[in-house]
Amino acid sequence: MAAESSMTSGVAGRYAAALFDLAKDAGLLDVVQRDLADLKHLIAENADLAELVRSPLFSRDQQTRAIGAILERAGADPLTRRFLGVVAANRRLFALRGMIDAYTALLAEHRGEMTAEVVSAHPLTDEQANALRDTLSAQLRRTIQLETSVDNSLLGGLIVRVGSRMIDNSLRTKLSNLQLAMKGIG
């Protein structure tokens, strides 16, 4: 059962496990995942929505009505709308990002996939992303999904996180290590 997974600790994990079990029973795993990804995107792009989710200053009723209206307008599945209505009514919207991440992790585990977070100095081309995905899949013997982001301060190279492992092959880190080594010489 998903609730026994190590990813289900804490409020966010317990809610995510419950949603995962409901979606699995209803055959809506992918539909709920799409709804959650869309909501996460909306929260990232809208400061007012992010404040609604985070702030305890909004009443239970305000949060419940607002999240319901947003999900209805976004075309979310009734299961997702009802579930997040319960989350809002229970005053747990502050943990929504963690719930979304935990649900995604449970779904990936269910499918035998792993997610690799890749931070690069410049956007990866499709060819580069595919080559990285293939390399990681061969190394880890699992299907890999990439979540990419760009951090211009890296100067060059990549930082890859898969589970608890991190590979920092960025130019920024290499220069920092070189600087530390040079201080040790002088």
Side-chain angles (χ1 to χ4, degrees), residues 39-54 70:
L39 181 59
K40 185 176 181 178
H41 182 72
L42 285 172
I43 292 169
E45 289 190 345
N46 187 314
D48 292 335
L49 179 55
E51 184 66 21
L52 172 81
V53 168
R54 274 194 325 265
I70 290 165

Side-chain angles (χ1 to χ4, degrees), residues 68-81:
I70 290 165
L71 291 169
E72 187 171 338
R73 182 168 264 196
D77 187 81
L79 174 65
T80 307
R81 292 196 319 253

Side-chain angles (χ1 to χ4, degrees), residues 19-60:
L19 179 56
F20 181 84
D21 288 341
L22 289 170
K24 185 177 177 186
D25 291 345
L28 297 171
L29 290 171
D30 292 329
V31 171
V32 170
Q33 173 61 31
R34 185 202 67 230
D35 291 345
L36 294 177
D38 291 348
L39 181 59
K40 185 176 181 178
H41 182 72
L42 285 172
I43 292 169
E45 289 190 345
N46 187 314
D48 292 335
L49 179 55
E51 184 66 21
L52 172 81
V53 168
R54 274 194 325 265
S55 178
L57 299 178
F58 292 98
S59 72
R60 175 187 323 254

Side-chain angles (χ1 to χ4, degrees), residues 108 111 113-118 133 137 143-147:
R111 292 178 174 160
E113 300 172 343
M114 292 183 83
T115 300
E117 298 173 25
V118 180
R133 183 181 299 113
S137 292
T143 303
I144 300 293
Q145 299 297 322
L146 294 182
E147 286 186 7

Side-chain angles (χ1 to χ4, degrees), residues 32 47 65 67 76 87 91 126 134 142 145 147 178 182:
V32 170
R65 282 195 332 262
I67 202 73
V87 170
R91 306 277 298 161
D126 289 341
D134 292 345
R142 299 202 59 187
Q145 299 297 322
E147 286 186 7
L178 181 60
M182 295 300 285

Side-chain angles (χ1 to χ4, degrees), residues 171-186:
L171 186 54
R172 179 183 64 193
T173 299
K174 288 179 180 180
L175 289 172
S176 178
N177 291 341
L178 181 60
Q179 184 180 21
L180 287 172
M182 295 300 285
K183 284 183 181 179
I185 293 173

Side-chain angles (χ1 to χ4, degrees), residues 81-143:
R81 292 196 319 253
R82 284 191 313 272
F83 186 84
L84 291 176
V86 169
V87 170
N90 290 343
R91 306 277 298 161
R92 299 292 186 260
L93 281 180
F94 67 87
L96 186 56
R97 181 177 169 88
M99 289 177 206
I100 294 170
D101 292 344
Y103 181 91
T104 301
L106 287 168
L107 183 58
E109 181 180 294
H110 175 73
R111 292 178 174 160
E113 300 172 343
M114 292 183 83
T115 300
E117 298 173 25
V118 180
V119 182
S120 59
H122 305 283
L124 297 177
T125 65
D126 289 341
E127 186 177 304
Q128 291 169 326
N130 289 335
L132 180 58
R133 183 181 299 113
D134 292 345
T135 301
L136 291 171
S137 292
Q139 291 285 323
L140 300 170
R141 293 178 168 68
R142 299 202 59 187
T143 303

